[in-house]
Structures are given as structure tokens and as C-alpha cells.
Amino acid sequence: MTSAVDELRAAVARAASAVAGDDGHADGRITLERPKQAGHGDYSTNAAMILAKAVKAPPREVAERLASELTGQLGAALERVDVAGPGFLNLFLADRWHVEALDDVLARGEAFGGGGADPPLRVNIEFVSANPTGPMTAAGGRHGAYGDALARILEFRGHQVHREYYVNDYGSQVRRLGESIQARARGEDVPEDGYQGDYVLALARAIPDAATADVDEVARRGVELILERIRASMHALRVDFGTWFSERSLHEGEPSKVERAFELLAERGRTYRAEDALWLRTTEFGDDKDRVLERSTGEHTYFASDIAYHEDKRERGFDRLIDVWGADHHGYVARVQAAWQALGGEPGALEVIITQFVHIVERGERAAMSKRRGEFVTLDDLLSQIGVDAARFFMLQRSHDTTVDLDLDLAREQSAENPVYYVQYAHARIASMLAKAGEERVRRALDALNGAVTLEPAERALVKRLLAFPSEVAEAEARRGPHRIAAYALELAQEFTAFYRDCRVVGAEPEEVESWRIALSVATQRVIARALDLLGVSAPLTM
């Protein structure tokens, strides 16, 4: 189902084809954008400059011909076309076009902005996956908010998404946890490379025989207790996973999944023995050196687990795998991509997204962060201080590839300076206004849109911001950037605030103007709510 902007873009393409005399000239280089400067029209296109060479005419002459074609195609929907600069076409659309465009937005209801996946895919997103050796930190919360928001965007676009948490419950870090718990239970100092936090003492007290039981058993039970807390913390952040995948399971059974992965790689001629170790030829797929899978001692590397895990995901039949990793894993990407291709995976089917750090700032000071030393802000503490909505919005308002300084003082503010408060307040303001109008009046307004109304600049601007929502969602999917939705939500709230300031809604005269403005407010409320939902943030009716 095409939108008003899609139809406008199609009209530009048809006009370009008519002028060029060849459909091939109306290519992807032709754009339709909202001008950055007021007075340059509702939309602008570079079509004349793109076509000038093909039609062997100056861009401004081509622009005049395009303007004539567009005037004929759009008719009453077009107020006028101006030629600007070297050949830009600025389109000024009639009020009727804006009204009909809003009618289309309302007709789509909850589906507005969604769909369009081409093709719809079965997607596995593995994110957070923090070691179960301590409580979930605020940094892990950023990964959770990001991965879940990305999943929501993909689902809204039409993909089938599976959320997954990889539990690193195997290896030396887990044994060190067991040793640390046991030391605490015996009243001894934690080993130098162990875990120092107070939570370790709490674990020692929660495991009755921690002082005497086998250290690996103590570690296993410690991991179970920590995972219970991590699950609860993630759920409190509104993040739930379809699968909690155990790394330990990859090493169990005869043969284990790790051993089966080794066999598969050997069959494909991707491994070799050297210096009594088993190596993978990752250099064949762009890595800077080959990697060890099994040491000369027979011990498997962490990389071996990762390969077996990705093979397991590949066998589950997903079309696309997305791994969300922390900044400290940046150097690991090339080898995992190489291993994926060595297993037979399509190069583009595995995406690795690196997220940068989050720093908690209070009164201008950054909090210390070290899980090993027990110095960190837990996610639970963060949520108790600023709430889920602020935590998610602040973590998502910056691109995942930039560091976030989460300012607790700002996040607590109930003012226009706090972006999540500002957006939610706009939603609540609309809800209050519509409640004042009454359900029956709102229903009649939605049934009686009149294309003959004359619009104020703030009304036109708000309509165009609403119409931008589908393209923002598409861009957020393509760029794996939920921050675009956060920015859009704030911009939409700002446009509504300007409209509300300049245009009386309830009580406006004549009645058709009131109806139009009520309908515009309803559409805005719906889109704000949807944008917030894609971020995992609530849309309150009162504040």
C-alpha cells in the first residue's frame, strides 16, 4: 500500500521519464526530500540535475520541463513549483494534499509506518550475553535496550524475530567464580584473579555447602543464582528472550556440538594440525592470521565454542543472524565472520554489531565500572533511580557506535530538558485534550475530514513530520539504528508542541477546522505511541 509521499515520489519519477524519454534515466539518484530551509517548498527534488546530461540541456531548462510535467500530473494537489539554484525543483503542495495525506495516515491505523520487509526474514538476534559471573550492569542494560528495540523495529517491518541470550557458563571465568564463592564461604580472601563484589558473599550464603562442595558444583549453582537475577533484571527492562543458550551444552554429549563442528570444518578442508594444535584457516576468509581451535593440551579455545554455537544457529534455519557485542569484542569480528564462511554460511547472513560503552554520570562525575573488582552500577540500581522509560530512552537516543554518558540528574528531571519526559508529555497532553473533547466528538471528527480547510504553517509542518515516519522506520531497520526513532519521536513532539501553541484545537471555529485539528491530534498521538513502543518506552495518558 503506497503512501502519499510514495505517490509523490512516483509522480516525480514519471515526470523524469517523460522528459528523458527513457525509463532508465529515472534511477535511484533522483531524490525527493524535505528542504532544510523554510520557504523552499514542502518537498524538493534534484531530478533536473540528474537528467541534464542525458537530455543534453541546462539543468534549469530541464527543471522547467519537469515542472510542467508535474503540474499536469498532480493537478490540484500542487500549489506551485519553483526552480531554485542550479536546477532544484521545490514543490509547494496544496492544503488539500495535506488533508488527504492525513486521511491516509488515519486509515492505516496501527499499521502506519510498518510493513515493507523485502523479503520478510527469519532473524535471530543474540544480544546482552554478559558473563553470568555477576549482576547485570548498566552497560549490559544498553545492550538489552538496543537489541530489543532493534528486534521491535524488525518485527514492525514484517520480519520474524527470535531473541537469544548466550550464557557463557563454561570455562575459566566460571571456575574463578566458584573459587571466589568458596573462598568467601570459608572466610578466606578471594583469589587475586577472582571476583570481589559483595554479591559473591551473598552467593556464598545462598549455597549451603559452598565451603565444602566441589568447586565446579559451587560454580554451577552460583551461575544459576546469578542467571535468575539477570533474567529478572532484563524482564524489568522489558527485555525477554526466547532462548537462553548454554555454552556448556556445546561441550556435552558424544560427540559434542564442538566436536561435530570440528568434523564439519575438517570435511570442508578448513582445518589443519600444527605444533600439536588444531587450527582453522581463517586467513582464507579475510582474517589476519589463522586461529587455534584446540590447544596442544587438548583444551578447546573460546573460539571453538563460538564456532559450534554459530553452527547450531545456522542449523536452526535462520535467514539472518545478528550478534550484538560490546566494544571490547571489536577485534574478534573478523575471525568469527571467517569461521561463519568456513562453516558454509553466506557472507551477508551474519551481522556483528559493536555497541560502545555507557557511562553513568551523576553531579558531573562518572561512576567506576569493573565487575572483577566489584565496582559497577547494576541495572537494578539504575532502574530504581530513573525508571525503565528514562533508562531505555537515554540508552537509545545515541547511535550504538557512540559512547553514551547517561546523566542521572537530567533523567530524573520532569522538564522540557528531559527528552523522554518531553515526548511522553506530548502524548499525555493529546490524551487530555481528546478526553476534553469527548469520545463522540473525536469519532465525528475522524468521520468528517474536509479537504476545503485552510491550513496554518504549523499544521502543514506536523502533517509532513507524520508522513516521514515510515521512511524513518525503514532507515532505522536498514542502519540498525533505533536512535533514529528516538530522534524522530522528539522531533514529532516538538512539531506538535508548536502546532498546539499556534492552533486552537477544541473549540476552534468553524466546526470543520476543529474536526481537522482533532484528527491531526489523533494521528500524532498514535504515531508518538508507536515510536515509543518501538523503543520499549511507555506512552502514558496522564503525567
Side-chain angles (χ1 to χ4, degrees), residues 188-210:
E188 301 170 354
D189 290 337
V190 170
E192 186 177 344
D193 60 349
Y195 294 89
Q196 303 286 339
D198 290 341
Y199 71 91
V200 179
L201 179 58
L203 290 171
R205 291 170 176 166
I207 301 173
D209 56 349

Side-chain angles (χ1 to χ4, degrees), residues 344-423:
E346 291 294 324
L350 171 64
E351 297 178 39
V352 179
I353 298 172
I354 299 295
T355 59
Q356 292 299 319
F357 299 105
V358 57
H359 298 291
I360 303 302
V361 178
E362 187 169 21
R363 293 184 293 276
E365 298 285 335
R366 280 185 176 181
M369 289 289 207
S370 170
K371 187 183 287 187
R372 184 66 53 79
R373 295 195 305 270
E375 298 173 351
F376 52 83
V377 177
T378 68
L379 177 59
D380 292 344
D381 289 341
L382 178 67
L383 297 183
S384 70
Q385 291 192 53
I386 64 173
V388 182
D389 289 336
R392 288 191 64 129
F393 197 98
F394 273 74
M395 287 176 172
L396 292 170
Q397 68 176 339
R398 298 284 180 266
S399 174
H400 62 273
D401 56 7
T402 61
T403 300
V404 167
D405 281 345
L406 200 164
D407 188 331
L408 297 183
D409 300 309
L410 178 59
R412 295 188 190 105
E413 276 194 26
Q414 295 188 0
S415 73
E417 299 301 314
N418 181 342
V420 65
Y421 180 85
Y422 187 93
V423 175

Side-chain angles (χ1 to χ4, degrees), residues 221-543:
R221 286 153 68 182
V223 165
E224 289 177 353
L225 290 171
I226 290 173
L227 277 177
E228 286 180 14
R229 183 171 173 182
I230 289 175
R231 284 191 182 94
S233 298
M234 285 287 102
H235 182 72
L237 189 64
R238 303 185 184 128
V239 179
D240 294 293
F241 296 90
T243 297
W244 294 75
F245 192 99
S246 165
E247 180 187 358
R248 181 174 294 278
S249 70
L250 297 170
H251 297 267
E252 296 173 340
E254 293 291 339
S256 68
K257 291 182 178 180
V258 169
E259 290 167 337
R260 293 210 314 269
F262 287 178
E263 292 172 3
L264 174 62
L265 291 168
E267 290 171 2
R268 297 177 62 85
R270 305 303 186 191
T271 57
Y272 63 92
R273 288 271 176 187
E275 301 172 1
D276 294 325
L278 180 65
W279 297 72
L280 177 64
R281 302 179 193 275
T282 54
T283 51
E284 294 182 355
F285 300 96
D287 197 9
D288 59 347
K289 60 182 179 180
D290 290 343
R291 305 291 174 172
V292 176
L293 301 180
E294 185 179 84
R295 299 186 177 93
S296 58
T297 60
E299 180 186 6
H300 294 158
T301 63
Y302 179 80
F303 189 36
S305 295
D306 221 29
I307 291 172
Y309 177 45
H310 281 83
E311 174 59 17
D312 182 272
K313 286 197 280 190
R314 194 172 77 92
E315 290 174 353
R316 282 186 268 159
F318 295 105
D319 303 307
R320 181 68 51 86
L321 304 182
I322 299 176
D323 293 354
V324 180
W325 294 350
D328 53 344
H329 287 73
H330 189 276
Y332 203 70
V333 176
R335 74 188 71 174
V336 169
Q337 291 281 13
W340 171 254
Q341 294 179 62
L343 288 165
E346 291 294 324
L350 171 64
E351 297 178 39
V352 179
I353 298 172
I354 299 295
T355 59
Q356 292 299 319
F357 299 105
V358 57
H359 298 291
I360 303 302
V361 178
E362 187 169 21
R363 293 184 293 276
E365 298 285 335
R366 280 185 176 181
M369 289 289 207
S370 170
K371 187 183 287 187
R372 184 66 53 79
R373 295 195 305 270
E375 298 173 351
F376 52 83
V377 177
T378 68
L379 177 59
D380 292 344
D381 289 341
L382 178 67
L383 297 183
S384 70
Q385 291 192 53
I386 64 173
V388 182
D389 289 336
R392 288 191 64 129
F393 197 98
F394 273 74
M395 287 176 172
L396 292 170
Q397 68 176 339
R398 298 284 180 266
S399 174
H400 62 273
D401 56 7
T402 61
T403 300
V404 167
D405 281 345
L406 200 164
D407 188 331
L408 297 183
D409 300 309
L410 178 59
R412 295 188 190 105
E413 276 194 26
Q414 295 188 0
S415 73
E417 299 301 314
N418 181 342
V420 65
Y421 180 85
Y422 187 93
V423 175
Q424 289 181 316
Y425 185 76
H427 183 272
R429 172 179 275 174
I430 298 172
S432 174
M433 182 181 66
L434 296 178
K436 180 181 177 181
E439 290 184 13
E440 175 60 23
R441 180 67 186 95
V442 172
R443 185 192 63 76
R444 286 192 293 109
L446 295 176
D447 289 342
L449 281 187
N450 189 330
V453 294
T454 300
L455 305 186
E456 297 292 333
E459 295 173 282
R460 297 165 69 106
L462 183 53
V463 170
K464 287 191 286 289
R465 186 68 65 186
L466 289 170
L467 295 177
F469 184 55
S471 63
E472 288 294 342
V473 175
E475 281 291 305
E477 178 202 8
R479 298 176 185 237
R480 306 305 193 223
H483 68 283
R484 295 186 65 93
I485 303 300
Y488 173 82
L490 182 57
E491 291 166 355
L492 179 58
Q494 290 168 337
E495 295 281 19
F496 176 78
T497 300
F499 157 73
Y500 189 76
R501 179 197 64 215
D502 296 346
C503 303
R504 184 174 184 179
V505 180
V506 178
E509 295 181 349
E511 183 175 331
E512 54 264 30
V513 171
E514 182 188 53
S515 292
W516 153 256
R517 290 177 179 172
I518 288 175
L520 181 54
S521 300
V522 168
T524 304
Q525 184 189 33
R526 288 179 184 174
V527 175
I528 289 176
R530 172 61 73 183
L532 288 173
D533 180 68
L534 292 177
L535 300 173
V537 176
S538 69
L541 298 178
T542 60
M543 290 183 70

Side-chain angles (χ1 to χ4, degrees), residues 124-129 162-166 240-245 309 312-313 316 318:
N124 177 294
I125 303 184
E126 181 240 313
F127 58 106
V128 185
S129 299
H162 185 80
R163 295 162 174 81
E164 188 151 319
Y165 189 117
Y166 182 52
D240 294 293
F241 296 90
T243 297
W244 294 75
F245 192 99
Y309 177 45
D312 182 272
K313 286 197 280 190
R316 282 186 268 159
F318 295 105

Side-chain angles (χ1 to χ4, degrees), residues 49-247:
M49 290 178 288
I50 296 298
L51 298 179
K53 185 176 180 180
V55 300
K56 299 177 180 179
R60 288 187 65 88
E61 179 183 322
V62 177
E64 295 290 352
R65 292 159 63 183
L66 283 169
S68 177
E69 285 288 340
L70 283 169
T71 300
Q73 288 196 37
L74 296 174
L78 188 64
E79 188 175 280
R80 74 177 195 273
V81 186
D82 288 352
V83 178
F88 280 103
L89 274 182
N90 295 332
L91 312 182
F92 294 79
L93 297 163
D95 287 344
R96 183 179 187 86
W97 182 89
H98 289 81
V99 174
E100 291 177 352
L102 181 72
D103 196 23
D104 177 64
V105 170
L106 290 166
R108 294 172 189 243
E110 296 298 317
F112 176 67
D118 186 22
L121 302 175
R122 290 189 66 236
V123 182
N124 177 294
I125 303 184
E126 181 240 313
F127 58 106
V128 185
S129 299
N131 287 347
T133 52
M136 181 58 62
T137 66
R142 185 186 191 188
H143 295 172
Y146 173 81
D148 182 65
L150 179 57
R152 290 167 183 252
I153 290 167
L154 291 171
E155 287 169 337
F156 189 48
R157 287 280 289 166
H159 300 289
Q160 181 182 342
V161 182
H162 185 80
R163 295 162 174 81
E164 188 151 319
Y165 189 117
Y166 182 52
V167 181
N168 304 115
D169 56 353
Y170 182 86
S172 58
Q173 82 279 0
V174 173
R175 185 174 179 85
R176 282 196 296 272
L177 175 66
E179 292 168 347
S180 302
I181 295 171
Q182 197 159 72
R184 287 290 197 179
R186 293 171 177 171
E188 301 170 354
D189 290 337
V190 170
E192 186 177 344
D193 60 349
Y195 294 89
Q196 303 286 339
D198 290 341
Y199 71 91
V200 179
L201 179 58
L203 290 171
R205 291 170 176 166
I207 301 173
D209 56 349
T212 57
D214 177 75
V215 68
D216 290 329
E217 177 62 17
V218 172
R220 184 188 65 78
R221 286 153 68 182
V223 165
E224 289 177 353
L225 290 171
I226 290 173
L227 277 177
E228 286 180 14
R229 183 171 173 182
I230 289 175
R231 284 191 182 94
S233 298
M234 285 287 102
H235 182 72
L237 189 64
R238 303 185 184 128
V239 179
D240 294 293
F241 296 90
T243 297
W244 294 75
F245 192 99
S246 165
E247 180 187 358

